Amino acid sequence: METRIKFKKSVLEALPTPPADQRVTYYDTETNGLTLRITGAGAKSFSVLRRVKGGKLERITLGKFPTLPLEEARKKAMEALSELAQGNSVAAQVRRKKAEVITLEEVFADYLETRKNLKPRTVKDMRSALDETCADWLKKPITKITPAMVERRHKERGQKSEARANLAMRYLRALFNFAQAKYTDDDAPILTINPVKRLSETRAWYRVDRRQTLIKSHELAPWFKAVMALPSPDIRDYLLFVLFTGVRREEALKLKWEQVDLPGHAVTILDPKNHLDLVLPLSDYLQDLLSQRKAVSISEYVFADSHGRRISNFRYAQASIEKASGVAFCIHDLRRTYATTAESLDIPAYALKRLLNHSTDADVTAGYIVSTPERLREPMQKITDYLLKAGGLKETAPVVDIFQRRAGA
């Protein structure tokens, strides 16, 4: 039931405070739509209440009484009612103005709040790329970032690193796409264009070829010799595990003993890059390697030092290997070496995709194929045997370089 009274300062001051869990609203008989709401805490606020397009009831808060005098409240109410009479939603205007000044940093925060499944490493890389390329834009409203600014900054950053310039702009493009969907006015986007689109329109993206480095067959013997000579058995075993499984750097570093099934000769990679857990069979060589580590382990992590701390610093070990073997490499090169070896051995394409845990979302046929760990055991052993023979750790007939084989095919 509506309580209508003629608003006067003395009358409004004398209105009673409702119970703590309630609030009451009074309607002014002088100015149609002007109301005063009183909370259980005694706070009194002026507002305008009217129905807008579509019959939706809209409340526009004007200010608190007595800080906002009654006559000033009536004046503000008339202005708001005039906007409503013209079909303009005051609340929508307020929302629009608020969205128009939202900063790039706020968009990034909202993006991360929505995309909770992002890997911590991805979030860190996004932050790093934005800081490197457009740190001075983080406090700037996104509506003030223009296509010309993006084009100019991409070119400037590209003088230092074309790959990082492209990456930063891809992240920026994702944030603007998110902002266009997130911040709207009656379903119309506040942000009408994605300024990063300019790079595609002008063909300004840098062409950055994918890295192709790996350890070649004839380099495996000196590389293995240098690895086996490392003073740290923990880093040695880690490098061997990555090479013989093809897993990613972080996936191996985060591996815990609870993920290793020694009786079942298998290991489970949890929450990898594509978020699909992967069960890999263990070759005979890896079974022995992990069994020996388990016998002396004091940590929950598979690759931890003698104090139980997860290993982390590979710089000195890597430098030592490169100096002793003459083979320059990075950790991800081991995954490329594994994949290239598998392909050269004619491992079936779908088995190889599963071993590398590559996404098959766009491949309809792959969706019907179920690759069990047992189905992958033979390919895994085959890859291990080749790498051991090429590295001189297992006797065999002469090994044909996989690159010579592919060139002569």
Side-chain angles (χ1 to χ4, degrees), residues 195-402:
V196 185
K197 189 177 179 182
R198 170 71 68 86
L199 299 180
S200 297
E201 294 171 340
T202 60
R203 299 180 181 272
W205 292 100
Y206 294 111
R207 178 176 176 175
V208 180
D209 294 329
R210 187 168 185 173
R211 185 167 178 167
Q212 297 293 317
T213 55
L214 74 164
I215 302 175
K216 298 177 182 179
S217 296
H218 68 275
E219 297 175 327
L220 283 169
W223 185 84
F224 268 116
K225 183 177 180 181
V227 170
M228 293 304 185
L230 287 175
S232 168
D234 308 307
I235 294 179
R236 176 200 67 198
D237 291 349
Y238 168 80
L239 294 174
L240 294 173
F241 182 85
V242 173
L243 176 64
F244 287 117
T245 60
V247 298
R248 296 176 179 87
R249 173 191 177 108
E250 289 298 318
E251 292 168 355
L253 282 177
K254 295 188 297 184
L255 188 67
K256 296 182 178 181
W257 284 114
E258 62 189 32
Q259 298 168 238
V260 179
D261 179 11
L262 288 175
H265 293 236
V267 61
T268 301
I269 305 301
L270 298 176
D271 193 27
K273 186 176 180 180
N274 64 0
H275 303 287
L276 299 175
D277 293 349
L278 172 66
V279 180
L280 285 174
L282 292 173
S283 63
D284 294 344
Y285 185 84
L286 286 179
Q287 177 74 15
D288 291 342
L289 183 149
L290 293 180
S291 295
Q292 292 173 25
R293 290 197 63 79
K294 179 63 175 175
V296 297
S297 176
I298 59 171
S299 172
E300 63 176 331
Y301 290 101
V302 174
F303 299 106
D305 62 21
S306 57
H307 299 287
R309 300 169 301 194
R310 192 174 68 168
I311 60 175
S312 58
N313 189 348
F314 303 95
R315 183 173 57 181
Y316 298 110
Q318 187 173 337
S320 172
I321 295 169
E322 291 181 355
K323 181 178 180 181
S325 67
V327 179
F329 74 102
C330 68
I331 304 299
H332 201 70
D333 287 345
L334 305 183
R335 178 173 168 84
R336 276 188 285 268
T337 302
Y338 173 89
T340 304
T341 299
E343 190 277 332
S344 75
L345 296 173
D346 296 326
I347 302 298
Y350 289 120
L352 178 55
K353 273 193 172 186
R354 189 57 182 155
L355 285 168
L356 293 171
N357 206 21
H358 282 164
S359 175
T360 57
D361 290 345
D363 191 329
V364 177
T365 304
Y368 286 90
I369 298 175
V370 179
S371 296
T372 64
E374 291 307 313
R375 170 68 180 82
L376 300 175
R377 192 171 297 283
E378 183 179 343
M380 176 69 87
Q381 188 64 50
K382 193 174 182 180
I383 297 168
T384 297
D385 288 343
Y386 179 90
L387 291 171
L388 289 173
K389 292 171 185 177
L393 299 185
K394 188 173 185 179
E395 293 185 2
T396 181
V399 175
V400 177
D401 191 297
I402 58 178

Side-chain angles (χ1 to χ4, degrees), residues 78-90 93:
M78 294 302 293
E79 291 173 353
L81 290 169
S82 176
E83 289 287 341
L84 291 172
Q86 297 176 51
N88 300 323
S89 168
V90 177
Q93 291 179 30

